């Protein structure tokens, strides 16, 4: 059980502490805005004030110790020039290093007590990361200096959230990362990137094309149909996996995204005969299942190519997250991977994440998975949000968790999005921060713009060109990229990104993009993402998106992990400090043509070297393998 009641001794101690505070400091504590949000996410409207007597499961995320050192800890184990390269941490070391201090716990519980929420009503999570209390809306409004509303979206779904900000006393604020439920809106929103806006030539909706009448399996048609052999040819990827036990590789899917298992045999029967009968290993998180009525595009694409590229010697794990009723979010996955990230007993916040046990018919009626899954060496995810959907604290907390997985030696890969400089579905930002179709401010994606993930954009073969010709940035849709509005420019990409800005300054007014030169730029790398030949319900269809390039690139990197582990070396872990380093200059296939339009502009331009469309370029497997085998 992740939470325990605060022990009496602690509660008593707190009482004394708060008396002490009362005696020495002014009772009129100054309150500061702790989190603010300029407007509700796209599609949500406040419909009424929330009932004062309604009970909220208030959870207070405590500030983690040493979190400001995360980037340097990561560089220490991930930069090729560091003497500690590859010396990844243990899970216990990570949990211990970032565990919130006793002072943080005492301050928060003391503040709750002063405000009439006594220690016996509070619980501290086993990880020490969260303080929880059930409070009424009335209590929460007084405590946080805010108003709660019931919001509704177009589907009639309801969500309780506070209006534009909540406030904390200054001395409390510095010990708190975030409080839920407050401003956050990541309501089990399933947005696989493969199912976005309508693209020319494709039937309405997803980037899935009409049934293919002729299947080619030769290198002469890679400009029309991408197959396993096309990808192997593009990236010089010839490798037989050796280490079938140690190396691990996982693809994440969110229910009801699913696949039809028999489609693997249709795919393998045509493209990889010795794999007929093979399936991914299902790791069910919070009741994740293969829903026969689910959407089959994303999962079929990701898994057919992952299994096909790694071949029969390497297992592929499927992290199927969320049951069929409430679904799951990135936090549900992270809870399963790291017990120290886990939240309240019985699951996450019901207004934000999938909450378990889910007692609805067909729901997952068991406790939330918390630290039950050992993270794989590479974890690839083709789902995402826009930064504007979430609050900064919420994103920062989650992004830091990706960094902590990096310390363990895990490579976290995310698709960068399919709408260029716009958000999902081509939605951009108004000057007041609202997301709207037809708005003109660039709308970066999350977690594609988190500095602790490897963000993957998309390329394509120009129609009429052979597989040996250089690729361009994808033009059939726009590869997600640009500058985050939330995350600072990490050390590892500083000189590369500043170089781009100096040599190729984007000619847009500074109020439509984050032109400060001080924010995280993405993507980091790219890979082919157009016209993948995928079997769905026995037929082949073309599918495209950064949804394709991300797991494809992850599959090839998994071979490098295999080769290193066979030689007794560590997994490649968080690769960004490595791939931007001098040691790795020129090891990617540089993409030099294209752009990523959106928000009524042509987006950013692809240039020699890194650019915010295709990153450093695509994988050149033999070169990267050799360089990584040189590292300790
Ligand atoms: C933000 O600006 C847009 C465009 O001017 C306007 O339609 C919208 O109502 C504004 N939203 C808020 C919350 O101020
Ligand atoms: C809040 O209420 C729920 C439902 O009654 C209960 O399971 C939970 O333990 C309570 N939480 C706290 C912190 O008291
Ligand atoms: C993708 O497939 C379509 C249909 O076969 C074809 O017209 C197009 O040229 C292909 N390649 C690209 C890059 O769009
Ligand atoms: C190849 O794909 C077709 C569907 O286009 C399927 O009917 C056929 O069974 C597959 N071939 C093999 C050998 O599995
Ligand atoms: C630009 O990014 C920086 C840090 O990443 C952030 O502090 C700043 O608020 C952003 N600017 C805008 C206009 O969002």
């Amino acid at each position: 059980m992740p939470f325990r009641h605060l022990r009496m001794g602690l509660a008593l101690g707190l009482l004394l502490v708060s008396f002490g505070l009362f005696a020495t400091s002014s009772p009129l504590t100054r309150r500061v805005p702790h989190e603010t949000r300029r407007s509700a996410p796209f599609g949500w409207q406040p419909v009424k004030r929330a009932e004062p007597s309604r009970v909220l499961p208030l959870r207070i995320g405590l500030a983690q110790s040493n979190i400001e050192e995360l980037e340097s800890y990561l560089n220490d184990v991930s930069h090729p020039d560091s003497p500690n390269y590859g010396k990844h941490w243990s899970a216990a070391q990570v949990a211990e290093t970032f565990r919130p201090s006793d002072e943080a716990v005492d301050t928060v519980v003391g503040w709750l007590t002063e405000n009439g929420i006594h220690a016996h009503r509070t619980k501290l999570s086993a990880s020490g990361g969260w303080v929880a209390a059930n409070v009424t809306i009335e209590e929460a409004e007084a405590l946080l200096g805010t108003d709660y509303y019931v919001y509704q979206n177009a589907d009639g779904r309801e969500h309780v959230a506070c209006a534009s900000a909540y406030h904390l006393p200054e001395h409390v604020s510095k010990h708190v990362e975030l409080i839920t439920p407050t401003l956050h809106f990541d309501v089990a929103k399933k947005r696989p990137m493969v199912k976005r806006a309508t693209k020319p030539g494709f039937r309405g909706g997803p980037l899935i094309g009409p049934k293919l009448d002729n299947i080619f399996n030769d290198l002469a048609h890679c400009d029309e149909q991408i197959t396993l052999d096309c990808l192997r040819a593009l990236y010089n990827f010839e490798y037989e996996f050796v280490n079938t036990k140690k190396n691990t590789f996982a693809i994440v899917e969110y229910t009801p995204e699913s696949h039809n298992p028999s489609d693997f045999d249709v795919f393998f029967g045509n493209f990889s005969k010795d794999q007929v009968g093979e399936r991914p290993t299902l790791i069910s998180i919070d009741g994740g299942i293969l829903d026969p009525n689910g959407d089959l595009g994303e999962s079929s694409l990701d898994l057919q190519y992952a299994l096909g590229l790694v071949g029969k010697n390497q297992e592929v794990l499927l992290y199927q997250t969320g049951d069929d009723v409430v679904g799951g979010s990135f936090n549900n996955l992270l809870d399963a991977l790291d017990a120290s990230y886990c939240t309240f007993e019985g699951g996450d916040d019901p207004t934000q994440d999938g909450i378990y046990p889910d007692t609805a018919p067909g729901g997952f009626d068991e406790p939330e998975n918390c630290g039950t899954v050992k993270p794989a060496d590479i974890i690839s995810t083709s789902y995402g949000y826009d930064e504007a959907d979430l609050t900064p604290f919420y994103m920062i907390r989650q992004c830091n968790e990706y960094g902590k997985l990096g310390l363990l030696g895990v490579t976290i890969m995310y698709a960068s999005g399919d709408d260029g400089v716009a958000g999902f579905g081509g939605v951009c930002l108004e000057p007041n921060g609202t997301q709207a179709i037809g708005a003109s401010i660039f709308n970066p994606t999350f977690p594609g713009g988190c500095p602790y993930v490897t963000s993957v954009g998309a390329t394509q073969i120009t129609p009429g060109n052979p597989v040996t010709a250089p690729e361009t940035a994808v033009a059939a849709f726009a590869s997600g990229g640009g500058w985050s509005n939330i995350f600072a420019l990490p050390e590892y990409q500083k000189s590369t990104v500043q170089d781009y800005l100096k040599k190729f300054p984007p000619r847009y007014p500074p109020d439509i993009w984050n032109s400060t030169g001080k924010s995280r730029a993405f993507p980091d790398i790219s890979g082919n993402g157009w016209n993948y030949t995928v079997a769905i319900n026995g037929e082949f269809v073309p599918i495209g998106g950064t949804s394709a390039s991300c797991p494809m690139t992850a599959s090839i990197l998994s071979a490098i992990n295999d080769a290193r582990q066979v030689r007794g070396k560590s997994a490649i872990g968080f690769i960004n400090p490595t791939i931007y380093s001098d040691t790795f200059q020129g090891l990617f296939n540089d993409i030099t043509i294209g752009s990523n339009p959106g928000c009524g502009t042509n987006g950013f331009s692809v240039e020699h070297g890194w650019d915010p469309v295709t990153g450093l370029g695509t994988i050149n497997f033999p070169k990267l393998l050799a360089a990584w085998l040189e590292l300790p």
Side-chain angles (χ1 to χ4, degrees):
M1 204 146 86
F3 271 79
R4 62 177 163 83
H5 280 277
L6 284 176
R7 266 174 276 111
M8 213 46 199
L10 179 52
L12 255 162
L14 287 166
L15 220 64
L16 297 177
V17 167
S18 57
F19 274 124
L21 277 179
F22 193 78
T24 55
S25 68
S26 157
L28 294 170
T29 338
R30 205 166 80 83
R31 277 205 287 210
V32 294
H34 186 70
E35 279 196 275
T36 58
R37 189 196 53 232
R38 286 191 291 180
S39 58
F42 188 62
W44 290 94
Q45 300 289 342
V47 290
K48 57 171 188 256
R49 283 290 293 271
E51 269 298 306
S53 59
R54 181 171 176 156
V55 175
L56 288 180
L58 198 72
R59 296 183 312 109
I60 301 166
L62 301 175
Q64 306 177 64
S65 304
N66 302 310
I67 201 73
E68 65 288 351
E69 299 297 330
L70 176 58
E71 190 183 345
S72 65
Y73 295 152
L74 265 172
N75 279 335
D76 187 52
V77 296
S78 318
H79 196 287
D81 296 345
S82 165
N84 293 322
Y85 178 84
K87 294 183 184 157
H88 299 128
W89 295 19
S90 68
Q93 191 183 357
V94 170
E96 198 44 47
T97 303
F98 299 105
R99 190 183 167 94
S101 65
D102 291 348
E103 188 195 348
V105 179
D106 294 356
T107 305
V108 165
V109 179
W111 162 68
L112 290 171
T113 304
E114 282 166 30
N115 285 278
I117 297 156
H118 291 283
H120 70 268
R121 289 174 62 192
T122 65
K123 289 182 197 173
L124 178 69
S125 70
S127 68
W130 293 87
V131 173
N134 291 326
V135 305
T136 62
I137 292 273
E138 193 175 6
E139 284 175 317
E141 289 184 340
L143 197 61
L144 304 175
T146 190
D147 295 332
Y148 275 86
Y149 289 85
V150 176
Y151 287 80
Q152 223 168 42
N153 74 359
D155 313 335
R157 279 214 291 172
E158 289 200 339
H159 175 73
V160 173
C162 56
S164 54
Y166 63 93
H167 301 80
L168 295 176
E170 225 164 357
H171 73 283
V172 176
S173 184
K174 68 174 202 255
H175 290 299
V176 170
E177 279 189 0
L178 82 171
I179 299 183
T180 66
T182 51
L183 298 169
H184 314 278
F185 267 84
D186 73 333
V187 200
K189 200 157 39 166
K190 295 166 206 76
R191 314 215 300 179
M193 294 195 181
V194 76
K195 308 186 83 219
R196 300 315 305 177
T198 309
K199 302 291 167 191
F202 286 88
R203 60 169 188 250
L207 304 184
I208 302 179
K211 173 178 184 289
L212 296 166
D213 293 323
N214 296 309
I215 303 302
F216 299 110
N217 193 11
D218 59 60
L219 295 181
H221 293 88
C222 296
D223 60 331
E224 289 170 62
Q225 292 178 17
I226 291 290
T227 58
L228 293 172
D229 281 347
C230 293
L231 295 167
R232 290 192 189 104
L234 278 171
Y235 306 120
N236 284 313
F237 180 54
E238 288 304 331
Y239 182 81
E240 193 164 342
F241 281 67
V242 191
N243 184 351
T244 55
K245 291 271 168 350
K246 194 150 192 285
N247 185 33
T248 50
F249 173 35
I251 302 280
V252 187
E253 304 293 344
Y254 290 91
T255 316
E257 293 298 320
S258 183
H259 64 262
N260 180 346
S262 65
D263 283 335
F264 283 105
D265 293 335
V266 176
F267 183 79
F268 294 142
N270 282 269
F271 300 120
S272 189
K273 290 208 169 17
D274 67 346
Q275 288 185 280
V276 170
E278 247 197 73
R279 302 287 183 264
T281 305
L282 176 69
I283 309 284
S284 170
I285 294 170
D286 293 343
I289 51 154
L290 297 183
D291 176 353
N293 302 315
D295 290 330
L296 305 182
E298 183 69 64
S299 184
S300 307
L301 164 72
D302 298 352
L303 291 161
Q304 286 170 24
Y305 277 84
L307 266 73
L309 285 168
V310 300
K312 63 179 183 348
N313 294 347
Q314 174 63 48
E315 181 182 36
V316 176
L317 306 171
L318 163 57
Y319 289 167
Q320 184 74 39
T321 307
D323 72 5
D324 225 351
V325 182
V326 300
S329 73
F330 298 147
N331 278 344
N332 291 94
L333 172 73
L334 290 170
D335 288 341
L337 295 178
D338 178 4
S340 79
Y341 189 74
C342 248
T343 52
F344 190 53
E345 65 191 358
D348 289 305
D349 190 311
T351 61
Q352 300 182 66
D353 304 306
I355 183 162
Y356 298 99
D358 171 9
T359 51
F364 175 63
D365 196 9
E366 287 175 41
E368 182 200 30
N369 288 171
C370 176
T372 49
V373 178
K374 184 177 185 303
D377 296 324
I378 298 186
I379 301 177
S380 172
T381 305
S382 296
Y383 298 70
Y385 297 95
D386 300 330
E387 285 183 350
D389 293 333
L390 303 164
T391 70
F393 274 99
Y394 189 86
M395 287 182 273
I396 291 166
R397 186 177 181 92
Q398 195 171 92
C399 181
N400 284 339
E401 181 63 17
Y402 297 124
K404 291 197 245 164
L405 288 166
L407 285 174
L408 299 178
V410 178
T411 312
I412 302 283
M413 301 182 65
Y414 270 95
S416 73
D418 295 352
D419 293 277
V421 295
F424 288 91
V427 173
C428 300
L429 300 172
E430 299 283 6
N432 62 14
T434 310
Q435 299 192 73
I437 295 193
S440 59
I441 300 175
F442 297 176
N443 190 7
T445 56
F446 178 81
C450 158
Y452 304 138
V453 308
T454 300
S455 186
V456 186
T459 56
Q460 70 170 42
I461 300 174
T462 301
N465 269 7
V467 72
T468 48
E471 291 186 89
T472 65
V474 73
F477 64 94
S479 185
W483 276 266
S484 167
N485 288 323
I486 303 299
F487 297 102
L489 183 65
E491 196 59 43
Y492 60 75
Q493 65 170 192
K494 218 169 238 174
S495 69
T496 305
V497 170
Q498 284 170 352
D499 216 39
Y500 176 89
L501 287 171
K502 198 158 74 210
K503 285 196 200 139
F504 316 107
R507 289 179 222 296
Y508 296 123
D511 53 354
I512 72 161
W513 66 293
N514 200 311
S515 60
T516 56
K518 291 184 175 148
S519 71
R520 152 75 157 146
F522 67 102
D524 299 299
I525 52 176
S526 52
N528 189 286
W530 194 241
N531 278 353
Y532 278 47
T533 308
V534 179
I536 295 186
N537 287 335
E539 296 179 346
F540 281 101
V541 291
I543 305 190
T546 51
S547 277
S549 56
C550 184
M552 182 277 290
T553 306
S555 306
I556 299 180
L557 290 175
S558 180
I560 297 178
N561 269 341
D562 180 82
R564 279 181 57 83
Q565 292 180 352
V566 164
R567 289 160 179 78
K569 295 175 186 246
S570 66
I572 54 179
F574 179 49
I575 63 172
N576 296 10
T578 306
I579 61 178
Y580 284 92
S581 73
D582 290 345
T583 320
F584 272 56
Q585 287 299 300
L587 302 188
F588 287 83
N589 303 310
D590 190 12
I591 306 297
T592 57
I593 296 174
S595 64
N596 59 352
C599 306
T601 74
N602 201 29
F604 297 109
S605 66
V606 175
E607 302 288 355
H608 281 283
W610 179 89
D611 54 69
V613 184
T614 61
L616 296 163
T618 64
I619 299 265
N620 185 324
F621 179 69
K623 284 190 189 171
L624 285 168
L625 177 66
W628 253 303
L629 289 180
E630 284 293 306
L631 295 181

